[in-house]
Amino acid sequence: MPEFCDVAVPVPLDMAFTYRIPPDATPVVGGRVLVPFRQQRMTGIVVELHDRQPSVTAKKVLSVLDAVPVLDEQLLRLGHWIADYYLAPLGEVFRTMLPLSAEFKRSIGYRITEDGQMALHLAGMSGSSARSRRSPEEQAAEFRVLDYVAGREPEPDGPVLVREETLRSATGVSRTLLEGMVRKKWLVREDVSAARDATRTMKVALLKSTEGKLNDNQRKLVDTLAASGGRVPVTTLQSLDVPRTTLATLIRRGLVEILDAPADFTVSRTKARPSLFEFDLNSAQQSALARARESVAARKFSGMLLHGITGSGKTAVYLAAMRSVLEAGRAAILLVPEIGLTPAVAADLHQIFGDEVAILHSALSDRERAEQWHRIKRGDARMVVGTRSAVFAPVADLALIIVDEEHDSSYKQEETPRYHARDIAVIRAKMANAVVVLGSATPSLESYFNAKKNKYALVELPDRVEQRPLPEVEIIDMRQEYQETGHEQVISRKLAVEIKDRLERKEQVMVLLNRRGYSPVVLCRTCGKKLECQNCAIALTHHKREHKMVCHYCGYTAPVPKACVHCGSEYVYFLGTGSEKLEELLHAMFPQARIARLDRDTVRGHEDFERTLNALNEGELDLLVGTQMIAKGHDIHGVTLVGVVGADVALGLPDFRAAERTFQLLTQVAGRAGRGQTPGKVVLQTYFQDHYAVQYAAHHDFIGFYEKELQFRSWMHYPPYSALANVLVRSDKLDDALRWSGTLGRWFDATRHEGVRVLGPAAAPITRLKRDYRYHFVLKSPSRERLNTTLRAMLAHATQQKIPRTQVIVDVDALWLM
Ligand code: ADP
Ligand code: ZN
Ligand code: ZN
């Protein structure tokens, strides 16, 4: 056995650390070891075994966790590639690739005591006590902790255990403060490392039939339970609008029971859909499938961009291709966007692939994710379907990776490592000599450009299935509407008429407004100031039903103001419209219509989402209002009208991807209309009626849009014509943020970076976010290599100047420059 091993530890440092291998241990490259790091113990991945004596004394490996590698040679190589391309610390990359933290992570939880309950009660009555030696901030922080812990759903046998990470991220307090509260006996601390998994979602089961003897809230819970076949995850009940004590009461009365069952998808209540292979693939689908099969059989890398318009039947092609991979005894991965993996989809997948499918969705607990990972690793499940991180699934003999809706921004991870799963899919396919299929009705500029340059084969599904037409799109110029009616309209006269008409014909309508809440701005008419978040330079949004002002970026909430917080004036105005207000407006206009809303406020989990879509599917709803959530992928045949309200706000933002995003959103939402027998129509209200993104979307002219947008990108040296990175410097102290960005700015000026353009430092468009002040640089270069060399040198300089690594964020191929 070699004397030393190099270990990638999950810390923000761009290096591996050398440890001495104890005599009785046999670590393997790609396996995990437990090592001492600073004052802690950490799990890291062994990247090399060697006999080179390090310059400082090496500490000893504490224990070897794996006898065989958890990352095979290919995944290790992929990890190195990601670390290099995204300038991310290798240990953090590996941590992202392996969903196994649950297996060894030490975990601490807290419960509230009776003393704690009492302290909370007293604080609520008398405010802060004058005799206390604690600062008001400290008291407020303690109050937040008690309030949070006390507000959580109690367990049947006492107060709930809240994990330290959850508690600290919810309340923003330090570990020291929590320890102080334990000393005061307000909280008890428990080690839950192996004992239990508090993130495990529990299920609730209905025990008895409960006629008559319930109050309204209890009835609501019981009905929800009954409607879902007697069992639902606790979270579903918690998202209903009833007090948290209701469930506890029902448990006490022995009517329902909490089961410690894994959070699986509830069995979908969707009417059995026609089975996937009941229809014959049409000729375009068949030829796409044949292309994919041939490429797979060739056993070498190739890429395919499947550009299929909305409703052209891409899913059937994906699944048929996967099935033939399975029949050949090989493996495939299907990536879907965050919102795409509904229980209905899961049901379809089980029907087609049986036990051979592993589904990795975001509702899994750490432990369940680890279980799925082991099933895949053992080769028990060779068909993997999942969101972003499923691209790292440990399958052997990978033949095919499919990225559905490849343009979707949920494929980009917005924390370190900031990878894009679509791009990783391509790299992984290359390493595995596999085939990658990127599918979309609105491909990203990057992928379309690659296809044009023959890096990928471009395969089109140019028509909707069964010759259904694309919807007719009518543009309403809202400036003209304003002139003609004399006031700002939310619903134009034309859209109102069209909605009324559909409702009379018993057809269904969707209305998109891509902004949640009631009103997005509260403005003082006296001093002209807006009500902003305490932590961010962002206006707070009024949420009427919750009676709160909410920051959509950090979650901060404040009471609804009666007077201006800046000058005390009573002339505060609530301006603009969000989806909550739109729903209210539509209720007032169409009192008979059954209306529901889909946005992040009404959807807490997959079940809510699924429930609403089912209701629409089964004709229990007439009208669905929502944010971009309603635009994605759904296949509901009764919808014949789509109204688009304020989907073009993005066009006013300082972001070079604004036109692309708007085009994609408009095209996708228009694609929801007319998917059944009756042709659809779209009424598109806009303030930018001449903008090419709006015009091309209205004419379903994909090629036209791409050509125009590519032209623009090429003139401005933006991707795909150059590689781009956003470098963000942040600190909760303004002085540090300014000083550090100045330091880096001077370094950029003083050093030559041939072929790299550096813009900045400039205040980021969102100048303050989650308490951090933010400055940024944008770097562009036709050469990826030069760009990364410059970034690497910049990071080295930052380290030398003692700028903490976590305060300089390098975002390669950034999707947002905000
Ligand atoms: P896309 O993802 O391209 O928008 P879907 O894959 O959701 O489209 O398919 C749209 C609908 O058409 C689905 O209900 C699907 O079952 C159905 N479908 C797919 N292929 C065919 C076909 N060849 N004949 C009839 N219906 C089909
Ligand atoms: Zn004011
Ligand atoms: Zn905020």
Side-chain angles (χ1 to χ4, degrees):
M1 197 71 210
E3 238 182 297
F4 300 103
C5 60
D6 286 354
V7 180
V9 187
V11 292
L13 293 169
D14 300 290
M15 58 191 294
F17 296 84
T18 303
Y19 290 89
R20 179 179 295 281
I21 303 172
D24 54 338
T26 47
V28 289
V29 170
R32 289 166 300 172
V33 287
L34 193 67
V35 292
F37 189 85
R38 306 227 163 111
Q39 306 313 321
Q40 302 174 49
R41 307 160 135 221
M42 283 194 171
T43 314
I45 297 284
V46 178
V47 291
E48 201 191 335
L49 301 169
H50 60 84
D51 289 308
R52 300 188 303 273
Q53 185 80 36
S55 50
V56 292
T57 354
K59 293 183 192 166
K60 254 196 317 201
V61 168
L62 297 172
S63 64
V64 172
L65 304 178
D66 298 303
V68 291
V70 283
L71 289 169
D72 64 17
E73 189 263 331
Q74 242 171 49
L75 287 173
L76 275 178
R77 211 147 46 94
L78 190 63
H80 281 284
W81 186 92
I82 291 170
D84 196 50
Y85 185 94
Y86 292 102
L87 291 99
L90 188 60
E92 298 197 325
V93 173
F94 288 145
R95 180 176 53 191
T96 301
M97 295 174 74
L98 282 173
L100 301 179
S101 54
E103 294 183 354
F104 290 98
K105 198 166 60 188
R106 189 143 183 265
S107 186
I108 300 297
Y110 295 88
R111 291 182 205 272
I112 191 165
T113 61
E114 296 210 338
D115 284 359
Q117 296 278 12
M118 185 57 78
L120 178 64
H121 183 65
L122 289 177
M125 284 189 354
S126 60
S128 62
S129 112
R131 281 168 301 144
S132 171
R133 284 199 321 263
R134 294 165 299 149
S135 69
E137 291 82 55
E138 219 172 275
Q139 289 181 40
E142 288 177 350
F143 180 77
R144 280 205 304 281
V145 170
L146 292 175
D147 189 48
Y148 184 82
V149 180
R152 298 287 294 259
E153 189 67 50
E155 289 168 19
D157 52 352
V160 72
L161 182 124
V162 184
R163 286 202 172 204
E164 183 170 281
E165 307 93 86
T166 316
L167 189 56
R168 289 188 52 199
S169 69
T171 60
V173 303
S174 66
R175 179 172 294 146
T176 327
L177 185 114
L178 292 175
E179 281 163 3
M181 295 177 70
V182 170
R183 277 196 300 277
K184 280 191 268 197
K185 300 207 163 48
W186 288 357
L187 296 176
V188 287
R189 189 168 190 263
E190 278 175 41
D191 187 335
V192 285
S193 305
R196 52 178 303 164
D197 186 349
T199 63
R200 200 173 166 96
T201 307
M202 294 192 205
K203 277 191 179 173
V204 180
L206 192 58
L207 290 180
K208 298 182 190 155
S209 122
T210 44
E211 284 306 308
K213 49 200 168 180
L214 299 175
N215 69 27
D216 283 354
N217 284 330
Q218 295 167 343
R219 168 66 52 204
K220 206 160 162 186
L221 282 191
V222 168
D223 284 351
T224 308
L225 265 166
S228 325
R231 275 184 192 209
V232 297
V234 174
T235 45
T236 305
L237 296 182
Q238 285 168 345
S239 64
L240 296 175
D241 191 18
V242 301
R244 291 175 176 273
T245 47
T246 308
L247 180 59
T249 310
L250 289 174
I251 292 169
R252 232 184 7 257
R253 289 176 55 184
L255 298 175
V256 303
E257 168 190 38
I258 291 197
L259 306 169
D260 188 18
D264 203 357
F265 278 132
T266 44
V267 174
S268 173
R269 289 186 295 130
T270 318
K271 255 193 263 158
R273 298 206 270 192
S275 158
L276 176 64
F277 299 104
E278 258 168 34
F279 49 74
D280 295 324
L281 296 184
N282 61 34
S283 65
Q285 287 171 314
Q286 273 174 21
S287 64
L289 176 62
R291 286 285 291 264
R293 278 186 176 149
E294 280 162 30
S295 315
V296 168
R299 286 182 179 260
K300 49 181 216 285
F301 169 74
S302 66
M304 180 204 283
L305 177 61
L306 183 62
H307 176 211
I309 64 165
T310 55
S312 58
K314 293 182 286 294
T315 315
V317 176
Y318 302 151
L319 296 180
M322 288 175 77
R323 204 163 72 158
S324 62
V325 166
L326 184 61
E327 280 160 7
R330 305 181 65 199
I333 299 174
L334 170 61
L335 299 182
V336 295
E338 211 64 80
I339 205 80
L341 207 49
T342 62
V345 172
D348 283 358
L349 292 167
H350 278 296
Q351 195 188 332
I352 299 165
F353 301 119
D355 287 343
E356 287 278 3
V357 68
I359 298 178
L360 301 168
H361 56 85
S362 53
L364 294 180
S365 71
D366 289 354
R367 192 199 291 174
E368 288 157 346
R369 201 172 288 278
E371 274 165 22
Q372 293 300 319
W373 187 92
H374 286 294
R375 277 184 69 219
I376 299 166
K377 179 83 176 162
R378 285 195 303 268
D380 292 347
R382 280 175 295 173
M383 300 284 108
V384 177
V385 183
T387 48
R388 188 170 65 223
S389 63
V391 74
F392 303 120
V395 293
D397 198 10
L398 179 63
L400 174 67
I401 308 186
I402 299 167
V403 186
D404 185 23
E405 311 288 358
E406 66 88 29
H407 65 280
D408 196 280
S409 59
S410 70
Y411 288 125
K412 177 81 159 56
Q413 174 150 301
E414 295 295 353
E415 59 187 61
T416 311
R418 299 179 166 254
Y419 71 94
H420 197 302
R422 177 239 296 144
D423 298 335
I424 304 305
V426 175
I427 299 301
R428 185 163 182 197
K430 272 190 188 150
M431 290 179 174
N433 285 323
V435 174
V436 64
V437 174
L438 310 178
S440 177
T442 51
S444 62
L445 267 281
E446 283 84 352
S447 296
Y448 183 73
F449 186 68
N450 281 333
K452 273 191 46 154
K453 290 202 311 186
N454 294 322
K455 281 204 195 167
Y456 311 141
L458 182 60
V459 176
E460 308 259 359
L461 300 179
D463 302 303
R464 281 188 163 180
V465 297
E466 307 194 311
Q467 282 89 47
R468 287 172 197 147
L470 278 170
E472 173 210 341
V473 180
E474 182 173 355
I475 296 182
I476 309 292
D477 180 353
M478 293 307 281
R479 287 166 305 187
Q480 197 180 335
E481 184 79 5
Y482 176 71
Q483 274 164 15
E484 287 173 16
T485 61
H487 40 221
E488 210 74 50
Q489 298 288 351
V490 179
I491 307 276
S492 64
R493 292 161 299 171
K494 178 69 184 178
L495 180 54
V497 170
E498 295 277 351
I499 293 176
K500 183 159 172 285
D501 175 64
R502 294 317 126 115
L503 293 176
E504 277 164 6
R505 296 201 322 235
K506 303 274 174 250
E507 292 171 11
Q508 292 170 311
V509 181
M510 280 188 183
V511 183
L512 172 90
L513 172 55
N514 203 12
R515 195 191 296 129
R516 64 196 175 92
Y518 196 81
S519 344
V521 179
V522 176
L523 186 72
C524 170
R525 282 278 151 91
T526 306
C527 73
K529 287 190 179 148
K530 290 179 193 161
L531 182 58
E532 279 200 350
C533 173
Q534 224 175 46
N535 310 321
C536 314
I538 292 287
L540 292 176
T541 300
H542 178 215
H543 285 245
K544 189 176 175 189
R545 204 191 56 144
E546 296 191 298
H547 198 64
K548 264 186 204 154
M549 304 299 299
V550 181
C551 172
H552 287 179
Y553 287 79
C554 75
Y556 170 82
T557 61
V560 180
K562 294 210 168 52
C564 172
V565 294
H566 305 286
C567 74
S569 157
E570 282 170 20
Y571 295 99
V572 284
Y573 284 75
F574 293 74
L575 300 179
T577 306
S579 51
E580 190 184 5
K581 185 164 168 188
L582 177 62
E583 184 188 5
E584 195 179 277
L585 279 170
L586 287 166
H587 267 301
M589 290 171 81
F590 307 103
Q592 309 301 332
R594 296 163 300 172
I595 304 179
R597 169 160 60 98
L598 269 190
D599 57 30
R600 275 211 285 138
D601 300 312
T602 61
V603 175
R604 292 270 147 78
H606 286 284
E607 289 82 15
D608 298 334
F609 188 68
E610 173 94 342
R611 193 174 326 113
T612 306
L613 283 183
N614 276 344
L616 193 67
N617 215 4
E618 312 215 327
E620 292 158 13
L621 287 174
D622 304 310
L623 219 163
L624 184 66
V625 178
T627 55
Q628 60 191 357
M629 244 183 219
I630 68 171
K632 294 191 175 173
H634 325 306
D635 185 38
I636 293 179
H637 290 195
V639 175
T640 58
L641 175 68
V642 167
V644 180
V645 177
D648 54 8
V649 273
L651 290 176
L653 297 177
D655 191 321
F656 75 93
R657 291 187 205 272
E660 180 181 6
R661 282 200 192 101
T662 305
F663 177 80
Q664 286 167 345
L665 178 61
L666 294 178
T667 303
Q668 293 287 347
V669 74
R672 300 313 114 207
R675 295 171 76 97
Q677 302 298 333
T678 322
K681 168 154 189 181
V682 178
V683 174
L684 199 176
Q685 300 184 175
T686 178
Y687 285 92
F688 297 84
Q689 76 145 341
D690 302 323
H691 196 289
Y692 62 96
V694 173
Q695 286 295 333
Y696 284 122
H699 293 102
H700 309 296
D701 184 355
F702 315 99
I703 308 299
F705 174 77
Y706 289 123
E707 294 304 327
K708 177 111 185 170
E709 182 68 11
L710 281 176
Q711 186 90 76
F712 162 74
R713 299 281 180 96
S714 133
W715 285 334
M716 306 295 288
H717 304 285
Y718 275 126
Y721 291 92
S722 72
L724 174 144
N726 191 27
V727 175
L728 189 85
V729 180
R730 62 171 182 190
S731 170
D732 56 356
K733 298 194 186 66
L734 179 59
D735 281 356
D736 283 344
L738 275 170
R739 190 158 42 85
W740 294 337
S741 52
T743 303
L744 295 181
R746 279 192 304 280
W747 179 83
F748 277 125
D749 285 345
T751 342
R752 275 174 55 79
H753 310 286
E754 215 168 310
V756 180
R757 286 159 194 261
V758 180
L759 307 165
I766 299 175
T767 52
R768 189 162 177 255
L769 187 67
K770 302 185 182 170
R771 292 172 179 268
D772 281 334
Y773 295 91
R774 310 160 84 239
Y775 290 83
H776 76 154
F777 301 85
V778 175
L779 277 66
K780 294 191 276 189
S781 173
S783 154
R784 170 82 50 190
E785 209 180 297
R786 287 201 176 142
L787 176 72
N788 279 18
T789 308
T790 302
L791 289 169
R792 212 159 276 129
M794 183 273 298
L795 282 178
H797 183 71
T799 308
Q800 200 193 6
Q801 296 294 312
K802 304 247 176 324
I803 306 175
R805 175 70 159 94
T806 46
Q807 307 310 100
V808 182
I809 296 171
V810 175
D811 191 355
V812 174
D813 300 341
L815 286 190
W816 303 94
L817 301 181
M818 305 294 279

